[in-house]
Amino acid sequence: MVAVRVQDLAGRVDLNEARPALVQALARAVLPGEAGEAAAEAVLRHRAAARAAGRVPFRTTRDLARVAGLAAGAAAALAPHVTVWSLEDGIAAGAVDPALRPLLAEEAGRLDAVRGLGWRRYAVELDVTTGRGATAGFAASVVLEPGGAAPWRLLE
């Protein structure tokens, strides 16, 4: 069995790179009351501890489920709005989930020069499971440049 996921990263908060204020704004926007503050603190504490130990804090968004102090259900609520692949500390305001846009407006507006040129970054994840239960995975971040030649074909 092969599972392929492609994710547009323009409106997602990068768990590894986002400014702390953006992580806090997202958590407050997605989770009610003090749960948002607690979730942001847990994510930022996890990130700092991993960096201090010389590790990458989040290799996939599924790593959210392993964050100590993150309340049950918080990882699932945050997952549709985060990434680990954008390599950017901000997000494209126009690509943010419309329901969250007003809540993230102050923190979402930083655009870098690459976005200004119209490039888009996507995460591509591939999981393979054999009939015998062995699994393997591949993940990459790709940038698509408008009008640029790509060394791959896009399939629908």
Side-chain angles (χ1 to χ4, degrees), residues 83-103:
T83 184
V84 298
W85 291 104
S86 77
L87 308 176
E88 298 179 18
D89 66 351
I91 55 177
V96 173
D97 179 340
L100 299 180
R101 195 172 292 141
L103 302 168

Side-chain angles (χ1 to χ4, degrees), residues 1 10 17 31-32 49 62 66 69 74 80 92 97 101 104 113-114 141:
M1 179 184 341
E17 302 296 332
L31 299 164
R62 292 183 292 259
R66 291 182 269 198
D97 179 340
R101 195 172 292 141
L104 295 177
V114 171
S141 175

Side-chain angles (χ1 to χ4, degrees), residues 114-121 143-146:
V114 171
R115 284 197 185 118
L117 295 172
W119 296 13
R120 294 294 288 262
R121 186 177 296 273
V143 176
L144 299 181
E145 176 185 356

Side-chain angles (χ1 to χ4, degrees), residues 16-145:
N16 292 320
E17 302 296 332
R19 299 181 311 277
L22 184 55
V23 173
Q24 292 164 340
L26 174 66
R28 284 192 304 266
V30 172
L31 299 164
E34 292 186 21
E37 293 294 330
E41 286 178 25
V43 167
L44 294 170
R45 194 171 40 249
H46 173 85
R47 186 167 84 174
R51 285 182 177 161
R55 296 188 321 268
V56 174
F58 296 94
R59 293 193 181 275
T60 74
T61 57
R62 292 183 292 259
D63 290 346
L64 267 174
R66 291 182 269 198
V67 172
L70 198 58
L78 290 170
H81 310 287
V82 299
T83 184
V84 298
W85 291 104
S86 77
L87 308 176
E88 298 179 18
D89 66 351
I91 55 177
V96 173
D97 179 340
L100 299 180
R101 195 172 292 141
L103 302 168
L104 295 177
E106 185 176 327
E107 289 299 324
R110 266 178 78 180
L111 300 177
D112 63 12
V114 171
R115 284 197 185 118
L117 295 172
W119 296 13
R120 294 294 288 262
R121 186 177 296 273
Y122 294 85
V124 179
E125 296 178 353
L126 174 73
D127 293 321
V128 179
T129 305
T130 68
R132 295 181 184 197
T135 61
F138 170 80
S141 175
V142 296
V143 176
L144 299 181
E145 176 185 356

